[in-house]
Amino acid sequence: MFEDLRDLYQEVIFDHNRNPRNFRVIENASREVEGFNPLCGDRLTLYLDIVSGVIEDASFQGSGCAISTASVSLMTEIIKGKTESEAEALFSQFHKMTTTEGEVDMEAVGKLAVLAGVKGYPARVKCATLAWHTLDTALKNEGLESISTE
Ligand code: ZN
């Protein structure tokens, strides 16, 4: 059972890495933030279109390892249609899930659970959380920003 689940999780990660969702530029995005993880070399630019506190559209560009690409691809999918505070709440659930700090609401994280396995690999945690730290910066700041995990 556990092995099957792990295979399924890997399948989802491979799929999002091979065929990333929302891999495009949003022209005139309301937020545009660059994220960089020097530990692995993952780079991404996150674009958000926020209308009246709701994330109407989310996309990204950049290049990174399979974990970082799958993570940002899954993230742009899941945050679309969510309010800024719902997205912040998801960030905190995702952070807990990858660092095991406290109880995680697995129902809330949904498909993101495929990345729970990174917690056993500290170097990969930053690959998985890069997208979310970039999102956090995007939600807290207007205009162009850039962040680094180091
Ligand atoms: Zn990486």
Side-chain angles (χ1 to χ4, degrees), residues 37 39-42 64-69 123-124 126-128:
N37 171 20
L39 209 66
C40 177
D42 309 314
C65 67
I67 298 284
S68 71
T69 304
R124 316 260 51 186
K126 285 185 174 170
C127 300

Short mmCIF file of all heavy atoms in Angstrom, two decimals, residues 37 39-42 64-69 123-124 126-128, ligand 1:
data_model
loop_
_atom_site.label_atom_id
_atom_site.label_comp_id
_atom_site.label_asym_id
_atom_site.label_seq_id
_atom_site.Cartn_x
_atom_site.Cartn_y
_atom_site.Cartn_z
N ASN A 37 16.68 29.68 -5.45
CA ASN A 37 17.20 28.76 -4.43
C ASN A 37 18.64 28.41 -4.82
O ASN A 37 18.89 27.49 -5.59
CB ASN A 37 16.33 27.49 -4.40
CG ASN A 37 16.93 26.39 -3.53
OD1 ASN A 37 17.78 26.64 -2.68
ND2 ASN A 37 16.50 25.16 -3.76
N LEU A 39 20.97 26.96 -3.37
CA LEU A 39 21.43 25.63 -2.93
C LEU A 39 21.34 24.61 -4.07
O LEU A 39 22.16 23.72 -4.20
CB LEU A 39 20.56 25.19 -1.76
CG LEU A 39 21.20 24.26 -0.74
CD1 LEU A 39 22.32 24.98 0.01
CD2 LEU A 39 20.15 23.77 0.24
N CYS A 40 20.30 24.78 -4.91
CA CYS A 40 20.06 23.81 -5.98
C CYS A 40 20.14 24.47 -7.35
O CYS A 40 20.35 23.81 -8.35
CB CYS A 40 18.68 23.18 -5.76
SG CYS A 40 18.15 22.02 -7.01
N GLY A 41 19.99 25.81 -7.38
CA GLY A 41 20.00 26.53 -8.64
C GLY A 41 18.62 26.73 -9.24
O GLY A 41 18.50 27.12 -10.40
N ASP A 42 17.57 26.46 -8.45
CA ASP A 42 16.21 26.65 -8.95
C ASP A 42 15.89 28.13 -9.05
O ASP A 42 16.11 28.88 -8.11
CB ASP A 42 15.18 26.01 -7.98
CG ASP A 42 15.52 24.59 -7.64
OD1 ASP A 42 15.84 23.83 -8.56
OD2 ASP A 42 15.47 24.23 -6.44
N GLY A 64 14.28 24.75 -13.03
CA GLY A 64 14.75 24.20 -11.76
C GLY A 64 14.69 22.69 -11.81
O GLY A 64 14.38 22.11 -12.84
N CYS A 65 14.94 22.07 -10.68
CA CYS A 65 14.91 20.61 -10.61
C CYS A 65 13.45 20.13 -10.65
O CYS A 65 12.52 20.94 -10.58
CB CYS A 65 15.60 20.15 -9.34
SG CYS A 65 14.71 20.61 -7.84
N ALA A 66 13.28 18.82 -10.72
CA ALA A 66 11.93 18.23 -10.83
C ALA A 66 11.05 18.61 -9.66
O ALA A 66 9.86 18.91 -9.84
CB ALA A 66 12.03 16.71 -10.94
N ILE A 67 11.61 18.63 -8.46
CA ILE A 67 10.81 18.93 -7.26
C ILE A 67 10.32 20.38 -7.30
O ILE A 67 9.15 20.67 -7.05
CB ILE A 67 11.64 18.72 -5.97
CG1 ILE A 67 12.08 17.25 -5.84
CG2 ILE A 67 10.86 19.16 -4.73
CD1 ILE A 67 11.03 16.28 -5.40
N SER A 68 11.21 21.31 -7.63
CA SER A 68 10.80 22.72 -7.62
C SER A 68 9.80 23.00 -8.73
O SER A 68 8.84 23.75 -8.53
CB SER A 68 12.01 23.65 -7.73
OG SER A 68 12.59 23.60 -9.01
N THR A 69 10.00 22.39 -9.88
CA THR A 69 9.08 22.60 -11.00
C THR A 69 7.70 22.02 -10.70
O THR A 69 6.67 22.66 -10.90
CB THR A 69 9.64 21.99 -12.30
OG1 THR A 69 10.92 22.55 -12.55
CG2 THR A 69 8.73 22.25 -13.48
N ALA A 123 17.79 19.03 2.09
CA ALA A 123 18.24 19.82 0.93
C ALA A 123 17.12 20.03 -0.08
O ALA A 123 17.12 21.02 -0.82
CB ALA A 123 19.43 19.14 0.26
N ARG A 124 16.17 19.09 -0.12
CA ARG A 124 15.07 19.19 -1.09
C ARG A 124 13.91 20.03 -0.59
O ARG A 124 13.06 20.43 -1.38
CB ARG A 124 14.55 17.80 -1.46
CG ARG A 124 15.63 16.82 -1.71
CD ARG A 124 15.95 16.55 -3.13
NE ARG A 124 16.21 17.68 -4.00
CZ ARG A 124 16.40 17.55 -5.30
NH1 ARG A 124 16.33 16.39 -5.86
NH2 ARG A 124 16.66 18.58 -6.04
N LYS A 126 13.92 23.01 0.44
CA LYS A 126 13.98 24.34 -0.16
C LYS A 126 13.52 24.33 -1.61
O LYS A 126 12.98 25.33 -2.10
CB LYS A 126 15.40 24.91 -0.06
CG LYS A 126 15.68 25.37 1.35
CD LYS A 126 17.00 26.03 1.51
CE LYS A 126 17.10 26.57 2.92
NZ LYS A 126 18.43 27.04 3.25
N CYS A 127 13.73 23.22 -2.31
CA CYS A 127 13.24 23.08 -3.69
C CYS A 127 11.72 23.12 -3.69
O CYS A 127 11.10 23.77 -4.53
CB CYS A 127 13.71 21.76 -4.30
SG CYS A 127 15.50 21.59 -4.36
N ALA A 128 11.12 22.40 -2.73
CA ALA A 128 9.66 22.29 -2.67
C ALA A 128 9.01 23.56 -2.16
O ALA A 128 7.90 23.91 -2.56
CB ALA A 128 9.25 21.11 -1.79
ZN ZN B 1 15.87 22.06 -6.58
#
